[in-house]
Amino acid sequence: MSPKNIQKLLEEAAQYRKKKQYEKAIEPLRKAIQLKPDKDTVETLAQMLRNAGIAKSFDRQFEKSKKYYSEAEEIYKELDNPAEIFKIKMAIGRCESSLCNYNESILIFKKLLSLLMKTGYSKLISEGSVDVKESTGKIMYYISIAYAKNGKWLEALKFIKAAKHRSYDDYRIGLCEQGEGIISLELGLCKTAVFHLNNAKEYFTDDSYKTANINENIARCLHKLGKYRKAIYLFDLAIAAYEKMGYERAWAYFYRGLSFEALKELKKANKDYLQAVDIVEKSRGEIKTDFFRQTYFAQKLKIYETAVLNSIELGELEQSYDLVQRAKSRGFNEKIETGFKPNPKVGRFWAELQKLKTQINDEYSKTEYVRQSQLENLKYLENKYDRLLLKMKEFNDGAADIILTSSMPLKEIQKLLALGTALIEYYVTEDKLLIYCITKNGFQIKAVPVSKADIQKISENIKLWILNMEQAGGKERDAIKAGFDWYVEKISATIFKPVEEFLKEIDRLIIVPHLSLHYLPFSALINTEGRRLIEKYEIVNLPSPRLLKKTGKTVTLSKLNALIIGNPLGDLKYAGKEARIISKILLNSKLLSGKNANKAAILKLLPDYSILHFACHARIDYDKPLFSGLIVSDGKGCKARIELNEILEIKNKADLVVLSGCETSGGNITPGDEITCFPRAFMYSGASSLLVSLWEIDDNSTSEFMKYFYTELYVNGKTKSEALEMAQLQMVEAGYSPYHWSGFQLVGT
């Protein structure tokens, strides 16, 4: 292209810039740079990206804003411009906070604060038109906001006071007064809060949004002081002001709803709660990257919980169940709804990602000969990988899940349920356990008074009872068993017996757990007759009722093909035996063991089989779940791992995946009931159902269990849930304790 055409592109960009259409100015600048890399043009592009970031931030589109800022930062790094990098980093920190990624925001701002302490860097920043004192005050203010949004109020108070001492313009002092007022409110110091908020109002007489926000928070103080009518009056003023400016504040409606509820005006409260939920849904739908949607949503769950309980009090039971579904596993539902999409190979990001993956695997293979420096390097590489993965998603809209799913209507769920089957869905609130029981022709709800803290302890407690009972012997074992039986009866009275009266004609249970109940072995619970649930019911777990539509069909023995991975490292004697037994039951199967069970071979074969069976070690990384892995061979006598993020990238057609390793159902659960774990990864990439374990399993007894399970499933023609029930009962009859059979869980139908 001629210099004349390049000039035309620059003039086009200049016209857009003049009209403040910064996003439109970016593309002609990119084209001009591709044709003729010129420093001035590169600097102009960086400015346009930053301006676009600012504009998107004003529009509260923080995800897009961060994307533009991040691209501008890359350019300023190439230009070696520390002052501009500093400003951009501050902007990115604000975006992270607005996207509810508070820890990342605090990390960014504390690094900037540390940089300002370095004399040489401070001088360089000052020369680049960044005022050190002013920047220090701003950073402390932003750190305070991030701590406040994360509920760490004392830390927030410390930084807001420090920020106020370093502020010398009225606007910044007003912001600090407002911040101190809100923090005081959250600490229960309502009179102190009103004092600071009224002080702040004096600084914002010409700022309608700030005035509305201050009124909203003074109204919250009045609510806490029991002055509900006065609170509603101020909430009305705030909401009217927001609406006039075109803003929607979910929290304003939510808190006004609380005041209506305190006055027993439940229908008015319900209207406000539903309005707040709708605003959250709308805002969440505008966030494209799933990670940011998840962090944003987790902060708003109190709105859903309150709306659910209010609906129940009004007798609007179907409405309450609709809200429960909308509050749970949204990210997973959306992945299932959008269908399988592998991570995009985004240019240099993909190449860098693969390089990091190789380095991580190399470091991981050394960890048997542990040195602290190696573990620190592994952690560093994993952190780098994590951030790069997120950056790939931000820079590639095609990688984002942009379908916002609705809940499944009750009638649709009932239509999908067979006679004799009940779906039991749990929802844990601060002081109640809600149990929804749905059958073909019925819908019931029970609210059990129990705290969230007590529910959170149940799964871990029962696991400890089971493990202690297994390790003890003689009279000690008998005593522990008596204690275990007492505890099972106690928790069964909370978890299961409240809905047992609705299950008289039922022989199959589909359990949709919530939070820590995902890790509860329901098969070990008992009914009112003192019988184990597996003596009466087949039991299936589902992450969401939506998966009722993704029902797999058991493949007959003559049509299935199976890939069996057995004892890749040679250290699990009975895993090898287990794999050989299964390969004899499943005639059309391919058995890989030892060095043949290597990562490259497995990944190549993974998409082609209807049964995938892994009899190997598993490593669950609770801090970084995407790095959880199935431990296999590297083909050279060392270990390798098939990571969760790799499973997410490879389409499979499995009707059943069996992960016969330790704790293969594990993963961290977010407040929105999202779990990054093996079952959800395999299901997202195509699998119909999985058999997984809740705890560390015994190598020998597991081989027996799997023999029973596969025989029932593929020789005797049982369904998966029937085969699991029969295998568990046969283990009981053979004298095995709950440790050996109750930890196996079928996820998916």
Side-chain angles (χ1 to χ4, degrees):
M1 185 176 281
S2 67
K4 185 177 179 181
N5 288 330
I6 294 172
Q7 186 59 35
K8 189 176 178 182
L9 286 169
L10 295 176
E11 287 172 1
E12 182 185 351
Q15 287 299 317
Y16 284 130
R17 181 182 185 180
K18 191 175 180 181
K19 296 174 185 177
K20 297 185 178 180
Q21 295 176 335
Y22 304 118
E23 283 185 289
K24 290 184 177 179
I26 290 168
E27 286 313 309
L29 286 170
R30 285 193 207 280
K31 290 176 183 176
I33 289 167
Q34 286 173 356
L35 296 166
K36 184 185 177 185
D38 176 80
K39 185 180 178 183
D40 289 340
T41 308
V42 170
E43 284 183 341
T44 304
L45 174 60
Q47 289 169 9
M48 289 307 98
L49 288 163
R50 185 178 64 184
N51 289 343
I54 293 169
K56 289 300 170 187
S57 184
F58 276 121
D59 291 340
R60 306 189 70 78
Q61 295 182 35
F62 298 109
E63 186 184 19
K64 245 183 181 176
S65 176
K66 180 174 178 270
K67 177 181 173 181
Y68 285 127
Y69 284 139
S70 297
E71 194 173 349
E73 182 190 10
E74 293 295 317
I75 294 172
Y76 283 126
K77 281 179 181 177
E78 291 174 10
L79 294 171
D80 192 23
N81 189 330
E84 293 302 330
I85 293 169
F86 185 88
K87 292 175 188 175
I88 291 288
K89 273 292 185 188
M90 284 184 71
I92 290 173
R94 294 197 300 272
C95 288
E96 295 284 10
S97 183
S98 297
L99 287 162
C100 306
N101 197 11
Y102 307 128
N103 290 335
E104 183 67 19
S105 175
I106 291 165
L107 184 66
I108 289 170
F109 286 128
K110 284 192 172 180
K111 281 184 178 178
L112 293 177
L113 210 54
S114 177
L115 282 174
L116 285 176
M117 303 298 176
K118 295 179 181 178
T119 308
Y121 194 86
S122 297
K123 185 173 182 293
L124 203 57
I125 294 294
S126 298
E127 290 170 355
S129 75
V130 173
D131 185 284
V132 174
K133 183 182 177 183
E134 182 185 354
S135 295
T136 303
K138 282 182 179 180
I139 289 169
M140 287 179 167
Y141 172 74
Y142 295 137
I143 291 173
S144 174
I145 290 176
Y147 273 127
K149 287 182 175 180
N150 208 15
K152 297 180 179 178
W153 302 109
L154 292 176
E155 286 292 318
L157 186 61
K158 180 175 75 176
F159 277 97
I160 202 72
K161 285 184 174 181
K164 189 160 65 172
H165 286 310
R166 288 165 176 77
S167 299
Y168 47 81
D169 67 89
D170 287 351
Y171 184 78
R172 188 64 53 185
I173 293 169
L175 288 176
C176 290
E177 284 285 355
Q178 182 187 14
E180 193 165 352
I182 293 169
I183 293 164
S184 299
L185 163 61
E186 295 296 343
L187 289 170
L189 307 170
C190 292
K191 291 182 180 179
T192 303
V194 171
F195 170 78
H196 286 294
L197 289 167
N198 278 323
N199 281 350
K201 201 183 279 191
E202 297 299 317
Y203 292 97
F204 300 122
T205 52
D206 296 326
D207 191 325
S208 300
Y209 182 83
K210 286 290 180 190
T211 301
N213 191 254
I214 290 167
N215 280 336
E216 178 189 329
N217 284 293
I218 293 174
R220 288 181 60 201
C221 293
L222 293 172
H223 173 89
K224 286 196 172 188
L225 292 167
K227 299 176 181 180
Y228 305 123
R229 288 292 174 203
K230 287 184 177 179
I232 289 169
Y233 171 74
L234 278 183
F235 280 128
D236 288 345
L237 287 181
I239 288 169
Y242 290 139
E243 287 177 350
K244 189 175 180 181
M245 291 180 282
Y247 288 112
E248 292 183 304
R249 277 272 300 169
W251 289 116
Y253 286 101
F254 171 73
Y255 287 119
R256 187 173 70 177
L258 290 180
S259 290
F260 279 129
E261 191 152 20
L263 293 167
K264 305 299 181 187
E265 298 179 23
L266 298 183
K267 288 187 177 179
K268 288 183 179 179
N270 184 260
K271 184 178 178 182
D272 272 352
Y273 295 149
L274 294 181
Q275 180 69 25
V277 167
D278 287 343
I279 292 169
V280 171
E281 303 267 292
K282 179 182 174 184
S283 299
R284 184 175 178 273
E286 291 168 355
I287 301 173
K288 291 186 177 181
T289 305
D290 51 3
F291 172 80
F292 292 133
R293 287 223 305 278
Q294 196 177 108
T295 54
Y296 170 83
F297 190 60
Q299 303 300 318
K300 307 295 188 290
L301 285 172
K302 181 67 180 174
I303 293 173
Y304 286 80
E305 181 180 312
T306 307
V308 167
L309 294 171
N310 170 264
S311 298
I312 292 170
E313 197 168 355
L314 281 169
E316 299 287 348
L317 301 187
E318 286 193 38
Q319 182 185 91
S320 78
Y321 185 56
D322 169 72
L323 288 163
V324 162
Q325 287 190 70
R326 290 161 76 179
K328 290 173 63 179
S329 299
R330 296 298 296 277
F332 176 70
N333 285 337
E334 286 151 19
K335 279 182 167 60
I336 295 298
E337 196 73 15
T338 54
F340 176 81
K341 291 186 298 183
N343 285 334
K345 301 184 179 182
V346 188
R348 65 182 179 85
F349 289 132
W350 180 260
E352 192 177 341
L353 200 72
Q354 299 311 304
K355 183 180 176 182
L356 275 171
K357 191 179 289 185
T358 301
Q359 290 176 313
I360 288 167
N361 286 333
D362 288 346
E363 283 295 314
Y364 180 68
S365 67
K366 300 173 189 173
T367 55
E368 286 191 29
Y369 316 99
V370 176
R371 291 202 307 269
Q372 189 60 34
S373 60
Q374 286 176 342
L375 292 178
E376 287 174 0
N377 194 41
L378 180 62
K379 187 176 180 182
Y380 166 76
L381 290 169
E382 288 183 342
N383 280 334
K384 194 173 178 182
Y385 185 101
D386 231 7
R387 288 167 184 260
L388 186 61
L389 204 62
L390 181 58
K391 187 177 281 191
M392 280 178 66
K393 288 188 173 186
E394 289 177 50
F395 273 80
N396 187 69
D397 290 344
D401 302 304
I402 57 173
I403 291 180
L404 199 62
T405 59
S406 58
S407 60
M408 279 186 76
L410 176 63
K411 288 182 180 177
E412 186 177 348
I413 292 173
Q414 290 176 317
K415 187 177 179 181
L416 292 167
L417 292 176
L419 287 170
T421 297
L423 183 142
I424 300 176
E425 179 151 8
Y426 293 89
Y427 186 66
V428 181
T429 73
E430 286 300 324
D431 57 7
K432 289 185 180 68
L433 174 65
L434 304 180
I435 312 176
Y436 293 86
C437 183
I438 304 171
T439 59
K440 190 77 173 174
N441 301 306
F443 175 60
Q444 305 288 340
I445 176 175
K446 286 285 185 177
V448 183
V450 59
S451 72
K452 180 182 285 187
D454 285 340
I455 290 292
Q456 297 289 69
K457 295 173 187 173
I458 288 175
S459 296
E460 192 59 34
N461 284 347
I462 200 167
K463 178 180 172 181
L464 286 172
W465 276 109
I466 286 172
L467 295 178
N468 287 338
M469 183 166 56
E470 181 61 23
Q471 291 166 3
K475 290 182 179 180
E476 184 186 5
R477 183 186 179 94
D478 293 339
I480 293 174
K481 183 181 183 305
F484 172 72
D485 291 341
W486 165 82
Y487 188 68
V488 167
E489 185 171 354
K490 179 184 174 184
I491 64 168
S492 296
T494 299
I495 303 293
F496 178 73
K497 291 179 184 178
V499 293
E500 191 175 357
E501 62 182 292
F502 310 130
L503 305 174
K504 291 176 183 175
E505 305 298 323
I506 300 300
D507 55 21
R508 186 169 187 259
L509 302 178
I510 297 175
I511 307 290
V512 183
H514 189 212
L515 301 180
S516 63
L517 293 179
H518 283 282
Y519 301 136
L520 178 67
F522 281 87
S523 58
L525 301 187
I526 60 172
N527 62 12
T528 51
E529 299 170 354
R531 297 170 64 197
R532 293 184 182 91
L533 295 194
I534 53 166
E535 294 179 58
K536 189 172 181 181
Y537 306 105
E538 305 163 35
I539 300 175
V540 176
N541 277 43
L542 284 184
S544 162
R546 187 165 293 277
L547 285 178
L548 288 169
K549 296 196 294 186
K550 193 186 177 185
T551 303
K553 295 181 180 179
T554 302
V555 183
T556 61
L557 187 61
S558 60
K559 293 183 179 179
L560 69 80
N561 64 339
L563 177 64
I564 303 168
I565 311 304
N567 195 18
L569 303 180
D571 59 343
L572 295 171
K573 174 183 174 183
Y574 291 102
K577 173 188 170 186
E578 172 186 322
R580 289 191 297 274
I581 290 171
I582 295 165
S583 68
K584 289 177 182 177
I585 297 171
L586 307 178
L587 302 178
N588 185 17
S589 61
K590 185 175 185 66
L591 172 60
L592 298 179
S593 60
K595 291 182 181 180
N596 291 327
N598 64 76
K599 181 174 178 176
I602 294 167
L603 291 180
K604 185 178 180 181
L605 294 169
L606 203 63
D608 300 327
Y609 288 85
S610 55
I611 307 293
L612 301 172
H613 184 101
F614 290 85
C616 61
H617 292 294
R619 174 182 177 264
I620 307 299
D621 190 326
Y622 288 95
D623 293 327
K624 289 186 170 51
L626 282 174
F627 292 107
S628 298
L630 300 170
I631 310 305
V632 296
S633 169
D634 67 351
K636 300 173 184 176
C638 293
K639 62 181 177 179
R641 57 180 178 173
I642 298 174
E643 296 168 0
L644 209 73
N645 58 69
E646 292 174 304
I647 292 165
L648 286 164
E649 290 170 6
I650 301 173
K651 175 72 175 173
N652 73 74
K653 64 175 187 180
D655 179 62
L656 175 66
V657 178
V658 178
L659 302 180
S660 182
C662 297
E663 296 184 301
T664 50
S665 69
N668 269 350
I669 307 172
T670 71
D673 210 45
E674 304 289 358
I675 313 176
T676 306
C677 59
F678 287 115
R680 298 198 189 193
F682 271 107
M683 293 179 98
Y684 168 53
S685 54
S688 296
S689 55
L690 290 95
L691 185 66
V692 291
S693 62
L694 293 173
W695 47 68
E696 292 183 9
I697 57 178
D698 178 75
D699 190 19
N700 188 11
S701 63
T702 297
S703 67
E704 289 297 301
F705 177 88
M706 292 299 170
K707 179 179 72 175
Y708 293 143
F709 175 73
Y710 278 104
T711 299
E712 292 296 334
L713 184 58
Y714 292 114
V715 177
N716 297 336
K718 304 292 186 183
T719 65
K720 296 168 201 168
S721 55
E722 285 174 327
L724 175 59
E725 180 189 20
M726 296 302 295
Q728 289 176 322
L729 288 172
Q730 287 176 74
M731 293 292 283
V732 172
E733 289 171 12
Y736 287 100
S737 74
Y739 166 75
H740 298 275
W741 54 264
S742 65
F744 291 105
Q745 188 182 75
L746 182 64
V747 181
T749 54

